[in-house]
Amino acid sequence: MTISTTPVPEPVVADRPPEPVRRPSRPGRSREWWLGAALVLPALALAVAFKLVPLGRGVATSLESSSGFGGSTFAGADNYVRMLDDPVVLASFRNALLVVATLPVWVVLPLVLAVLIHQRAPGWKFFRAVYFIPYTVAPIVVGIMFRQILAPDGPINALLRTVGLEPLAIEWLNGRYTALFSLVAVALWSFFGLGVMTYLAGLATIPEETLEAAYLDGAGFWRRLFSVVVPMLRPTVAYWSVLCASGVLIWLFPLIYALTQGGPGDATMLPEYLVFLTTFQFLDRGYGSAIGIALFVFVAVLSIFSVRHMFTEGTRKPR
């Protein structure tokens, strides 16, 4: 008797859609979100309370007309129109542009000194401390000190007369064209130590072998600086440039107050000092707020341009 072994065909089953994958619930993710929100909330509250609220109040005050300790009335855009015809305001912003024009010195000089210190130049430990010490001195103290140093009978002019350069012994803080640049030079002396430390932190990320290879290939100091260091230090250079571009217009108030008080005439008048004079000495709160908002817009535009440039340079891939 023969038994058939032919396989019985399986019944055709219609295709079924795949069952959706059920992801297990993650209560930990929700807990992490609330923890992150709790940590960010205090900083956000401080930013709103001490940044956005005063800014909004300043904008509102700039639309008012006030004089002395009396009340104020709504003035609309009159304060901003008034600024366009005010020669002191225009001179202050012109001086601000001249200060911004000195930014290449603020960026390059600390970089050169930082590279020399990083390469262990003779006395590098001593100079590293010496360059940073001025930054630890209060700007008002720096201004009082240099007011004596740059006086007509001060040490600088006495030294120039001693070495036979008497024609250069001028009134540094009383000259129409020398006062502003003397102010910038004092500010640079006071703040560039922070730039040196910033660049030293960036230089610590560059492999020593790279600089040694450039040296063995015969590259001089300046060639190594601009062909090796600057390309590899591009994000740090961009960061310091942004910091200087936005800060150079809001750091100088203590130095102006101690050195020149905006003089002679309006030679060293900058918008931040003019806001102080208008608001607290002339008691014109609306006009002072309008000048402050104009300064805010000026610095914001400059900062946005610098930040965009920093992002572009920081994300550019090396060739």
Side-chain angles (χ1 to χ4, degrees), residues 238-264:
Y239 165 76
W240 179 244
S241 301
V242 171
L243 192 63
C244 290
S246 58
V248 72
L249 297 175
I250 55 178
W251 285 346
L252 301 184
F253 174 82
L255 295 179
I256 298 174
Y257 185 83
L259 284 171
T260 63
Q261 296 188 352

Side-chain angles (χ1 to χ4, degrees), residues 8 14 23 53 71 92 130 180 185 200-203 234 241 245 272 276 291 308:
V8 179
R23 297 182 179 179
V53 172
S92 68
V130 167
L180 182 62
L200 284 175
L203 287 169
R234 188 181 295 119
S241 301
E272 59 173 337
F276 164 75
I291 299 172
R308 289 187 61 184

Side-chain angles (χ1 to χ4, degrees), residues 245-246 249 293-307:
S246 58
L249 297 175
I293 296 300
L295 175 62
F296 168 76
V297 173
F298 182 80
V299 175
V301 171
L302 184 63
S303 300
I304 291 172
F305 174 79
S306 303
V307 169

Side-chain angles (χ1 to χ4, degrees), residues 202-286:
L203 287 169
T205 64
I206 299 179
E208 292 288 344
E209 296 79 7
T210 304
L211 297 177
E212 291 179 1
Y215 177 78
L216 294 176
D217 288 342
F221 173 80
W222 295 108
R223 183 64 180 274
R224 295 196 304 272
L225 176 63
F226 291 105
S227 299
V228 179
V229 174
V230 172
M232 299 187 71
L233 212 63
R234 188 181 295 119
T236 306
V237 174
Y239 165 76
W240 179 244
S241 301
V242 171
L243 192 63
C244 290
S246 58
V248 72
L249 297 175
I250 55 178
W251 285 346
L252 301 184
F253 174 82
L255 295 179
I256 298 174
Y257 185 83
L259 284 171
T260 63
Q261 296 188 352
D266 55 13
T268 59
M269 183 66 69
L270 292 178
E272 59 173 337
Y273 191 74
L274 185 58
V275 170
F276 164 75
L277 290 180
T278 305
T279 305
F280 297 102
Q281 290 197 5
F282 302 143
L283 299 179
D284 194 343
R285 299 187 304 275

